[in-house]
Amino acid sequence: MGLLSACSLHPAKNQQSTALPSFNYSLVSAEQVNDVPAIASLTYLTLSQRDELAAFVLRDSIKVLPNRLKVAEFINHKMMNFNYEGQNHTSTESWENQSGNCMALALLTYSVAKELNVHTVFQVVHAAPILTNITSDILVTSDHVRTFLYDEKPDGHFLSGSVATVIDYFPDRFDRTGAIVSEKQFLAMFYRNLAADAMLEKQYQQAFLLLNKGLTLAPDYEALINMMAITHRRLGDEHTAEKLYRYALANNTNSISVLSNYRLLLELQNRTAEAQNINQHLLAIESSNPYSYYSLGIEALEFKDYKTTVIFLEKFIDSAPYFHPAYYALARAHVGLGQHKKAQDILQQAIALTDMPASKRNYLAKLSMLKDK
């Protein structure tokens, strides 16, 4: 199952043709309903934090700047000692702990911008999957967003001529920019992240409620619909899960994450022919986000489907030829297929591409083992 966490967003491009299928609320207990945090609690800044911000913008070097630059200077100031721990902190927590993931830092930027009457626009950045965590059938990958700050609300498209300041959190040379998202979609992303955390802890009822909250903000947000389907399946309602998958695919037939999860449901139900049809469709898709191929390749490798692993990772490498972990994973797939010489050649490419000592040692050790066979 592909479950995007951290900071990626793929809103549906087309108007939904039918009503979103009803969720099965009998799956969750009534006492948990109040456990979902309100938007105000996510973006809240304490009085002392607002006082600190007010003092910062009154500095001689800061007070002469436009408000959007004041926000940027303050966030850059906070980022100097910011510890990227991958946690989905609220704005208050990120400020107090000086830590969090890119989404937490974007949320803090949003809160500071609101305090200074600055307008924000967010753009998805498809990031190289630095951390891939697979637990059972849950695959978590990491993407992020960048923020555009405006003194005046931009008219029309965000690149329509308004002057903006861009804040990019933890940029990387492998990043690929993606879609622009609305304020509501951005907030829905945070509920999506919290739901992903709950799912990894097997707290599926909590995940259900967080996803439901996110969908009140962005009812066409495909990632939330996809995760809601997964949550229904995990809670035992495969019928509603399938309806949600089919609804999402009716509006985006080439959604790699939805297709991947629907395929898994069909496989679990022993509907082999239908699952194989979806698999063939997945193999034929050309995605604008090459990291989708990487995620599918890693997922196939985890389930020891080495032939599929090779297909997806080769598609990924065609689009992103400098990402050395993909070569290592591809080499592992060829080992699984018994193609040791091919694996050695690919490992040599991984070694040449990496400048990280730990990765290079790992690849060299694997190469040495293969040469000894």
Side-chain angles (χ1 to χ4, degrees):
M1 182 209 82
L3 173 62
L4 289 179
S5 177
C7 309
S8 85
L9 181 63
H10 305 278
K13 295 180 180 179
N14 301 320
Q15 184 71 25
Q16 298 291 350
S17 57
T18 58
L20 181 67
S22 298
F23 306 145
N24 184 355
Y25 291 96
S26 68
L27 297 173
V28 296
S29 56
E31 58 267 22
Q32 286 193 278
V33 172
N34 294 325
D35 291 342
V36 177
I39 294 172
S41 70
L42 300 179
T43 61
Y44 177 73
L45 297 177
T46 67
L47 179 59
S48 63
Q49 289 170 344
R50 295 198 300 272
D51 287 344
E52 180 184 338
L53 174 61
F56 180 87
V57 300
L58 286 176
R59 294 180 181 181
D60 289 341
S61 59
I62 303 297
K63 65 183 180 182
V64 296
L65 300 175
N67 280 358
R68 60 185 167 79
L69 292 180
K70 292 175 183 176
V71 175
E73 288 293 330
F74 184 77
I75 294 300
N76 287 333
H77 168 70
K78 283 296 180 185
M79 285 183 67
M80 289 178 62
N81 297 306
F82 200 84
N83 183 16
Y84 180 61
E85 292 184 342
Q87 299 296 314
N88 290 303
H89 289 319
T90 66
S91 294
T92 295
E93 292 169 339
S94 295
W95 189 316
E96 289 179 346
N97 301 328
Q98 289 286 281
S99 67
N101 61 15
C102 68
M103 189 64 182
L105 193 49
L107 192 69
L108 176 59
T109 303
Y110 173 75
S111 297
V112 171
K114 283 181 64 179
E115 195 71 19
L116 296 181
N117 296 314
V118 171
H119 300 275
T120 52
V121 173
F122 302 94
Q123 182 181 32
V124 175
V125 177
H126 302 303
I130 297 171
L131 173 63
T132 300
N133 176 25
I134 299 178
T135 305
S136 182
D137 63 344
I138 296 180
L139 172 65
V140 179
T141 61
S142 177
D143 292 338
H144 65 262
V145 297
R146 60 178 180 169
T147 306
F148 293 78
L149 302 171
Y150 297 88
D151 289 311
E152 303 291 338
K153 187 174 183 179
D155 293 325
H157 192 272
F158 83 110
L159 290 177
S160 60
S162 300
V163 177
T165 297
V166 184
I167 301 180
D168 201 348
Y169 315 94
F170 317 111
D172 186 88
R173 63 191 174 117
F174 296 116
D175 289 349
R176 303 289 185 91
T177 56
I180 301 301
V181 300
S182 68
E183 180 179 322
K184 286 186 176 181
Q185 289 169 329
F186 167 71
L187 293 169
M189 291 169 65
F190 202 86
Y191 285 104
R192 189 270 327 272
N193 281 16
L194 295 176
D197 288 344
M199 291 179 74
L200 289 173
E201 296 297 323
K202 299 184 178 180
Q203 298 172 356
Y204 302 120
Q205 292 189 33
Q206 180 68 5
F208 181 111
L209 295 169
L210 289 162
L211 293 167
N212 185 63
K213 176 66 175 179
L215 283 163
T216 65
L217 294 166
D220 295 341
Y221 181 10
E222 183 183 283
L224 288 177
I225 298 168
N226 182 38
M227 288 176 63
M228 185 61 95
I230 296 164
T231 303
H232 275 77
R233 180 179 67 78
R234 287 299 190 91
L235 289 170
D237 185 352
E238 295 183 355
H239 178 68
T240 302
E242 181 165 4
K243 287 199 294 184
L244 289 165
Y245 287 138
R246 295 177 72 88
Y247 169 81
L249 291 172
N251 294 280
N252 183 2
T253 58
N254 289 334
S255 171
I256 287 179
S257 57
V258 176
L259 285 166
S260 177
N261 290 314
Y262 187 26
R263 177 189 60 182
L264 176 60
L265 175 64
L266 295 172
E267 289 172 345
L268 292 172
Q269 295 177 344
N270 295 317
R271 294 159 65 181
T272 307
E274 293 171 84
Q276 186 57 33
N277 285 338
I278 288 181
N279 199 50
Q280 291 303 312
H281 185 44
L282 277 167
L283 294 171
I285 291 173
E286 295 299 325
S287 174
S288 60
N289 174 14
Y291 296 118
S292 299
Y293 299 131
Y294 179 78
S295 298
L296 284 171
I298 295 298
E299 180 182 26
L301 181 62
E302 181 71 10
F303 290 102
K304 299 182 179 179
D305 183 354
Y306 300 122
K307 289 183 179 179
T308 301
T309 301
V310 170
I311 292 171
F312 281 126
L313 290 181
E314 286 183 344
K315 285 166 75 77
F316 169 75
I317 288 170
D318 284 344
S319 299
Y322 304 111
F323 189 60
H324 62 86
Y327 290 86
Y328 178 61
L330 182 59
R332 289 174 58 198
H334 281 291
V335 170
L337 293 169
Q339 300 167 348
H340 290 185
K341 179 61 171 64
K342 181 71 172 177
Q344 290 179 43
D345 293 341
I346 294 169
L347 276 172
Q348 293 282 13
Q349 291 177 276
I351 292 165
L353 287 170
T354 184
D355 53 5
M356 300 173 65
S359 294
K360 185 162 289 190
R361 285 195 300 270
N362 185 31
Y363 300 163
L364 285 168
K366 186 68 172 180
L367 181 62
S368 178
M369 289 173 58
L370 286 174
K371 287 181 177 179
D372 289 341
K373 290 188 176 181

